[in-house]
Amino acid sequence: MDDDAAGMLAALIEGKGEGRYGLSGINQREHALQAAWLAERSGCDAALIVAALLHDIGHMVHDLGDNPAAEGIDDQHEQIGYDFLRHYFDTAVTEPVRLHVAAKRYLCAVEPDYSGRLSADSVLSLSLQGGPMDERELAAFVALPYAPEAVQLRRFDEMAKVKGLATPAVMHFLPYLREYLTGGDQ
Ligand code: FE
């Protein structure tokens, strides 16, 4: 990725991140930064840190409002984000992003206490996204490359909703964007 693309993505998070994150009391930028910071502190590689930072970019490049789930709309932000990010990154970044909603449906099916820990907005969107996976879906999901990374990203996603938590700024993560030079389908 060239510097311009890294700067453009950082500016997107910075500038478009004011939108509220679903029903929680934080905005998109805070959510993205908390997720990336969790990934960094957990010792994840650059690809998963970048994926965590950009996993909800689909919310920022569509115009369905801050909380489409409240209106009964599945915004398919994971697919929108994937379609956007694949111009810049390879599958180590784009697959966990594409699968982070599937990973929620997976965790709801395999971890009995997981759904109880979901935030209100995640509960709301879950039914629109298909609910917990059935046996066939589970088997198909675990066979996918990057399923474990998607599940890990999902756990960060769920934890990255803390009101008022201080994190590093977007610029802190710019080196990861720059470092991750593999390129997408551009
Ligand atoms: Fe998220």
Side-chain angles (χ1 to χ4, degrees), residues 3 19 30 35 59 64-65 70 118 125 128 132 146 148 161 175 179 183:
D3 261 16
E30 291 167 315
H59 283 310
L64 291 172
L118 286 177
S125 55
L128 297 169
Y146 298 108
K161 302 177 182 184
E179 174 192 325

Side-chain angles (χ1 to χ4, degrees), residues 26-41 52-53 55 156-168 173:
I26 64 171
N27 65 30
Q28 289 284 350
R29 185 197 309 119
E30 291 167 315
H31 176 60
L33 291 172
Q34 288 184 22
W37 198 39
L38 282 161
E40 186 184 43
R41 284 183 301 160
L53 182 70
H55 76 277
F156 297 143
D157 188 359
E158 224 53 65
M159 288 188 281
K161 302 177 182 184
V162 181
K163 207 172 168 179
L165 180 74
T167 66
F173 298 101

Side-chain angles (χ1 to χ4, degrees), residues 136-151:
R136 235 185 54 196
E137 290 172 317
L138 284 175
F141 178 76
V142 296
L144 292 172
Y146 298 108
E149 287 81 358
V151 168

